[in-house]
Amino acid sequence: PYVKDCVNGVELMGLLDSGASRTILGSAGWDRLSACGAVLSHCGISKVRVADGAHCNVSGVARVVFELKGRRQTIDALVVPGLQESLV
C-alpha cells in the first residue's frame, strides 16, 4: 500500500511498511529533496537491512518535515541510494 506524503513541501509516494523501524529515502526521493535544498548529514549507520533481507548502504541522514493528513513532524530519514522506493 502506498500513500501520498509531503516531505519538505515535495509530494512523494511512500510505501507503508508496518515492520520498518526507520523512515528511509531512496535515490529518487532523495534526488527530489536535495534539489529543493535538503541537506545530508553523517550518521553512525552504514547499512540497513530491507524487507527482502538484503543489506543496503546508507549515505547519511536528512532532517525533513514530514506532513501527512494535515499533521506535521520533523524526523530524521535515512538516505539509502540502493532502495527502489522513493520513500518507506
Side-chain angles (χ1 to χ4, degrees):
Y2 290 86
V3 64
K4 261 187 209 177
D5 302 300
C6 190
V7 182
N8 282 9
V10 175
E11 193 172 277
L12 297 175
M13 288 299 290
L15 174 65
L16 293 175
D17 183 349
S18 62
S21 60
R22 298 289 301 257
T23 299
I24 300 175
L25 290 163
S27 57
W30 174 245
D31 289 347
R32 292 190 61 205
L33 292 178
S34 63
C36 296
V39 177
L40 186 65
S41 299
H42 177 74
C43 69
I45 301 170
S46 61
K47 291 190 182 288
V48 292
R49 188 176 67 199
V50 293
D52 67 1
H55 287 83
C56 296
N57 292 328
V58 175
S59 295
V61 64
R63 179 153 284 198
V64 296
V65 178
F66 192 91
E67 185 174 345
L68 180 63
K69 298 190 180 208
R71 298 185 73 181
R72 298 179 86 169
Q73 185 171 357
T74 301
I75 61 170
D76 290 331
L78 296 177
V79 177
V80 179
L83 191 67
Q84 295 292 334
E85 303 294 337
S86 293
L87 174 67
V88 178

